[in-house]
Amino acid sequence: MPRMSPDPASAPGDRVAVSASLVVFGATGDLAHRKLYPALASLANAGQLPGRLTVVGNARRAISNEEFAEDVRNAVEKAGDGDSPGRRDALDQLGVRFRFVPGSVDDADTFQQLRAELEDIDAGRDGGGNVLYYLSTVPSVFGTIASGLGKAGLAHEPPGTFRRIVVEKPFGRDVETARHLDDQLHQHFREHQIYRIDHYLAKETVQNILALRFTNTVFEPLWNRRYVDRVEITVAEQLGVEHRGAFYEQSGVLRDIVQNHLLQVLALTAMEPPASFAADAIRDEKVKLLRSIRPLEPSELPDRVVRGQYTADTIDGVDVCSYREEEGVAPHSKVETYLALRLDVDNWRWAGVPFCVRAGKRLQRRATEVALRYKSVPFLPLPAGAVDSLEPNVMTLHIQPDEGITLSFAAKVPGQTLQVRTVPLDFSYRETFAERAPEAYERVLVDAFLGDATLFIRGDEVHTAWEIVQPVIDAFERDAVPLAFYPAGSWGPTESNNLLGGDETWRKS
Ligand code: BG6
């Protein structure tokens, strides 16, 4: 056995959280219903919820504690699909209690009522003094809520207890607003109390990037500029903007996916080995890597950025409208639904290896993957005609769907002549493991209760990621990068192949 990390913070421990209260702001909203309550029910089924848990809901609408409890049960029932959560009474079975504090987050009185409620819960020794605040609201009120909690004395952690605040992306919309939001959060909460969610980090196969790289001998020696020719990262969705046209108009794929999910995947793929798997050891390495990404110069943007938007076409035989025809979208909108970037990582490991990344909606199929394309062999000791087209080796980490890893290499075709062909070596999660992978929100919730911040994003990561994309945001605002159109159901604008150089094309995922 090799020596192991002495860091106790990265040791797998008992994954059952201590007693706590969970305060949900935006408790009657869509995210809470679709993700949060079903995740709580699954955790209840798995015996991973705090021993005594009270869920305290807040929203403007005045509903009773019992109505709130029923609302949660309905959400759990609705989300059930066969093997997962489904049991509407899963939380009641565990003795979870529900309370509701109605009121606007603009009103200081709401926080006084919340304080009284939490004191009452603690008087009954139900929460152990621990509180997790979950901001399941529109981002524009994140600062207001943090400040309301702080002013009511609800951010302060009495000895031996925790007060944590869980925030969903977007964390601002550019460098400046992200800094402003962080200032607001930090006015009352210290960094160790802030849990910023990027649900991609909670995906099993995203976490597996670290396991693959740092618990095997065979991959890491090939994970650098000596062997890798190019890294391609793809986050492709078949879905359009659904009912979120108005939101998307303010966001675009740059803010929605690239600044957060995609750069996180890139950081995990390219970072140096951490000293341990403890939260800060990993986050330090991610920040170091993000800081090594060469800033994009305005003059080179046309060769480094492709901005696209989908037009009407068919996907899997179904007609879909153009982005501009989506509800809530301006008829002449220039918002990007596709973005491809060519980035350079200026460090010893990766100097000279382009990182080509792309993300888009309404693409041919859903696929999130990282592909390391290896250099070609320096010389082929084969007779002419033995190879039609020898593809370089490619290691592909399939993050979703069909989670797994594929390594493509050349093999001899059976027969009397020496013919070679590219073949895949496949590992599939589904076929190999019987264990159920937890949903991202289950993982996120249990980690927040346990105080394990590994899968959450630290403030400096957020800022560095915004700094990387800020030149692109500025260029889009100046309209300095042309908007290319692509038919829904395609792999995006053909212009994006130009980023790769030569006659190269993106992998057909
Ligand atoms: C969200 C974006 O963060 O991620 C959505 O706001 C996107 O636009 C979603 O559809 C994709 O997540 P997943 O887990 O389905 O890949």
Side-chain angles (χ1 to χ4, degrees), residues 169 199-200 203 235 237 239-240 244 247-248 256-257 260-261 361 366 368 400:
K169 84 173 178 65
H199 79 280
Y200 262 58
K203 288 182 191 281
V235 180
E237 292 185 83
L239 289 178
R244 300 193 307 158
F247 154 80
Y248 211 78
D256 193 37
I257 301 277
N260 36 74
H261 306 326
K361 295 237 182 236
R366 179 174 186 235
T368 300
Q400 62 186 15

Side-chain angles (χ1 to χ4, degrees), residues 345-374:
V345 178
D346 285 341
N347 65 17
W348 272 57
R349 184 188 286 265
W350 295 115
V353 179
F355 278 72
C356 300
V357 304
R358 59 178 172 169
K361 295 237 182 236
R362 286 285 188 234
L363 296 180
Q364 199 173 93
R365 64 180 193 86
R366 179 174 186 235
T368 300
E369 60 177 41
V370 177
L372 276 72
R373 218 179 126 92
Y374 286 91

